[in-house]
Every structure is written in structure tokens, then in C-alpha cells.
Amino acid sequence: PFAAESLRFARHRCFQREVEIEVEAVDKTGTFLGTLTMNGGRFNLGVELLRAGLASIHPSFQPERHAGGEALQDAQDAAKLARACLWKDWSPEAEAAKAAATAAAAAVAAGPAAAAGPAEVVVLGVTEVVSGCRFFAQRVEGSRANWLFQQLQDLTPKAENSAFEPKRGALVAGQFTGDDCWYRAVVTESPRADAGTVKVFFCDFGNGEALPPSRLRVLDPSLVSLPPLAHLCTLSYLKVPGPAEDFGHQAAQCLNHLTGGRALQARIDQCERHPTNNAWEHDATPEWHLTLGYTPKLEKTLDSPVGDEDAEDVTDEEEAGEPSVNEQMLAEGFARVEKRAVKKPAAKVLLDVQEGARKARMGIWEYGDLDSDDDEAAPAAPGAWGRRR
């Protein structure tokens, strides 16, 4: 698309004019690669094509490693914001989702070599508990949360709001009623004239709210491309009652108590290949499966071979370490180990904790063993006269 327009633009600006060409490289076919400028360097054809939206930067190009690379990147960014030509349907949300999908595909392509290495360990802060095993969390280390918060408070009040009409899926700035501060938010439902409010999802924290239009503003373009800071997570290897099931509410309260107000070290046991873009939906696919409150001591103990001389010197207290949140949910009787996970090495400790909760009749084990899991075969339907087949 726009090939003819690009050719017309180049001919109109450069044909029959004196130009300067700086050759940086030659490809396999002998084609010169470089920069074309005119008027003493004041006109750069590559920059102007990008600014007009008639060209795009090659995916393998790294602006920081080339002279004038930043100018090319700035020109393309300007064309995106202006929705010029090639970028007429561009959306920052779609670009962020595509980048995440590309990163996930690269991780999958790494295959067994990546799986053989140690699992990634991160420090997280839980920002919103959805249910007994689903929650939103932010990275504590290397996060831009403080910078983003300050930028939102400085730039949002200056935004023009007169002709602003929020649409479903749009990324906007929303003023949270809890503290009257501005945060990035996604409009989750098309606004209705009779409702008087707009439902939004605060994508950097994981909570939602219905706000009047007066509390919404156009988001500053410089804050659009930053990916959401909140990641939808679930506790690895656990099956927890849902919010509408018995002990579901207590399980959510327990998880909130165990995670609230503190930073926790976590091991990412699994990353979903295709995490959902609509993280606010009740059936959204979690991005990370975590062992929350993970301690390296525990991992070392599990990996120590039988008869390791160093392992013999470890006391029972040191061997156990501090129980993970996953273990504590099991100990309180608000979770059980998934059947598909029982053969995994990491599930051995969890199964021992579960057995202790079962014997003590904690939580979901109050009345003895539970019924069969959902993945087991359902009983046969009644036959004629109500008799079982």
C-alpha cells in the first residue's frame, strides 16, 4: 500500500535536483544502502518519507546504533500519532499487544534450551486480588510506576476535554475516586447516554470503576505506548474455589491477607503464549503462573540429589524456608493441587501440605474428601424409569 504515493513523493522532491548520497553499506546484490540529503543536509529523504507516513523503519534497524537513527525514529513516531498514510489504522494498544506476542513467540521458539535454564525470579507487588488464585501484580524492580504517575498528574489536567468522546477499547486518563489522582484506563464498555458513567479498567493496577465523563481525559500521546504495568497472574498448580462457590470468598480474603502491602519474590513457572488483551474479563487468560513468596532455599533443597553431603547439614527449619503463598493457601484449606500437576517435581511439597490440611479438616476439607474434579468423567445420565445405566 502507498507504493505509488511514495514514488510520487520522491520524484516530486528530488527529481532534477542536486543531491548528496552517503553510502553506509552495500548488500549482497550490490545495492548501495545509505542516506540521501539536499540543501546542505537540511532535507533528508528518508526522514521526510517517514514523517509523511509513506515509509516504515525496518524491524531489524536499531536507531541507537546509527548516525541519524533517532531522527528516523522520531519521524516515524510523529507519523503514527498523526495517523498518516501507512499508519491510518494504527493503534498503540494493538502495537503493544503485537510486541508482547512477538516476545512470547521468541520465548517459545527458544524451545528446550530456554526451558532447561532457571525459571525467572522477579519481585512483585500485588495490586488487585480478583479471586482466590487470580490477581494483578506489578514488577517492583525496574518499574516506571512512579515516573508514570508523576507524568499523569502533570500532563492530564492540561488536556482539552471539550470534544472528547471515549469509545470502547480506547486508552484514556481516568481520575480514580479513591484519591482523585489520574491513572491510565481502558474503556471497557461503550458509553450509554442514559447511564451517565463510563466503565473503565485501570490497566496499571487491575481494578475497575464506573466514572462520570467529567473524570475522563484524553491521554497524553507520550504515555500511550508504555505497556500496562499490571500483569494478570494465577497461583501455579492450584485449583481454588471460584467467587460463587463455597469457600470462594474466604479464599480471596486469605490471598488478599497474604499478599497485601508487601513486595514478594516470585518464580514464573509458566508464561502463556497468547495472554488475553482484555484482562478485565472474568475468563481472561493469565499471563503468568507463579509460585508467590518463592524462596531460593526451598528450590535448592528440592534440587539437591539424594545423599548430597551439603544437604545433610541443612536443618529442617532451613530446609523448609518460609512457606510460599501457594503453600499457605493449601495449608488453610482454600486450595488443592491440580490433578495434572501432581507428577511435577515442584508439586511434591504442595501435596504434603495439602495432605496436612485434609487430615486437619481445614476449609474445603471440612466434610472429608472432595468430590471428583471437573476433568473426571461425569456420572452416566439416568436411563429409562430413572434407573442408572
Side-chain angles (χ1 to χ4, degrees):
F2 295 99
E5 290 84 347
S6 179
L7 177 60
R8 191 181 307 117
F9 179 92
R11 281 180 171 174
H12 175 71
R13 302 301 294 270
C14 303
F15 197 55
Q16 296 295 333
R17 287 174 172 80
E18 185 175 333
V19 301
E20 294 181 5
I21 298 176
E22 181 180 350
V23 178
E24 298 179 4
V26 180
D27 67 11
K28 295 179 181 180
T29 63
T31 303
F32 292 139
L33 306 177
T35 305
L36 185 151
T37 59
M38 295 190 306
N39 303 328
R42 291 190 297 274
F43 175 91
N44 183 310
L45 179 60
V47 171
E48 297 305 323
L49 282 169
L50 287 167
R51 184 174 289 117
L54 296 173
S56 61
I57 295 176
H58 193 278
S60 64
F61 180 77
Q62 297 176 300
E64 66 278 3
R65 300 183 62 180
H66 297 268
E70 292 185 1
L72 296 173
Q73 187 66 59
D74 292 343
Q76 177 169 283
D77 291 343
K80 287 180 178 180
L81 294 176
R83 306 296 197 276
C85 296
L86 288 171
W87 311 106
K88 60 185 180 68
D89 298 320
W90 175 79
S91 122
E93 296 85 0
E95 184 173 272
K98 183 178 179 180
T102 301
V108 172
E120 182 181 3
V121 177
V122 295
V123 179
L124 300 176
V126 175
T127 56
E128 180 75 8
V129 171
V130 179
S131 67
C133 70
R134 291 161 63 89
F135 54 94
F136 287 90
Q138 286 183 1
R139 286 180 183 264
V140 174
E141 299 173 345
S143 172
R144 304 184 69 185
N146 293 334
W147 172 86
L148 178 60
F149 176 81
Q150 194 57 54
Q151 290 294 305
L152 282 162
Q153 311 319 308
D154 293 342
L155 299 176
T156 305
K158 305 172 186 176
E160 178 59 41
N161 201 43
S162 57
F164 175 51
E165 295 183 6
K167 297 182 180 179
R168 187 177 187 275
L171 188 61
V172 301
Q175 191 175 30
F176 181 51
T177 56
D179 57 8
D180 287 333
C181 292
W182 294 97
Y183 301 94
R184 295 194 304 173
V186 179
V187 179
T188 58
E189 290 186 9
S190 299
R192 296 187 307 174
D194 58 335
T197 57
V198 179
K199 289 187 177 181
V200 299
F201 168 76
F202 294 103
C203 60
D204 297 314
F205 294 89
N207 59 315
E209 191 175 19
L211 297 175
S214 60
R215 282 183 171 266
L216 298 177
R217 293 288 188 277
V218 176
L219 185 64
D220 190 272
S222 64
L223 306 179
V224 169
S225 59
L226 184 67
L229 301 184
H231 302 268
L232 179 58
C233 308
T234 186
L235 296 175
S236 298
Y237 315 128
L238 300 190
K239 184 178 177 65
V240 180
E245 298 176 330
D246 291 342
F247 295 101
H249 180 65
Q250 294 95 317
Q253 286 185 320
C254 181
L255 180 60
N256 189 56
H257 172 72
L258 293 172
T259 61
R262 62 194 183 113
L264 292 166
Q265 193 164 252
R267 182 185 66 205
I268 302 177
D269 299 310
Q270 178 183 339
C271 288
E272 288 295 335
R273 298 183 184 181
H274 306 291
T276 181
N277 292 328
N278 300 337
W280 57 87
E281 296 179 351
H282 72 279
D283 58 350
T285 303
E287 181 181 354
W288 290 341
H289 295 244
L290 302 176
T291 297
L292 196 58
Y294 159 81
T295 56
K297 278 185 181 179
L298 177 60
E299 184 71 5
K300 181 177 180 181
T301 303
L302 288 175
D303 290 344
S304 296
V306 177
D308 189 334
E309 295 180 0
D310 294 334
E312 293 178 357
D313 297 330
V314 179
T315 65
D316 292 340
E317 183 178 356
E318 290 173 333
E319 183 177 333
E322 182 181 352
S324 67
V325 172
N326 305 46
E327 293 175 61
Q328 293 180 69
M329 290 293 292
L330 286 166
E332 294 293 334
F334 294 133
R336 51 178 163 154
V337 180
E338 290 181 325
K339 282 203 167 185
R340 62 184 178 182
V342 295
K343 294 184 178 180
K344 294 181 179 293
K348 181 182 182 300
V349 173
L350 300 179
L351 288 168
D352 291 341
V353 176
Q354 175 179 279
E355 182 62 16
R358 188 186 68 81
K359 290 180 177 179
R361 295 291 189 264
M362 299 292 291
I364 59 177
W365 308 103
E366 180 180 1
Y367 301 110
D369 291 347
L370 299 173
D371 293 333
S372 60
D373 283 340
D374 295 337
D375 53 0
E376 294 181 356
W385 311 107
R387 291 194 295 270
R388 291 280 175 186
R389 292 190 176 96

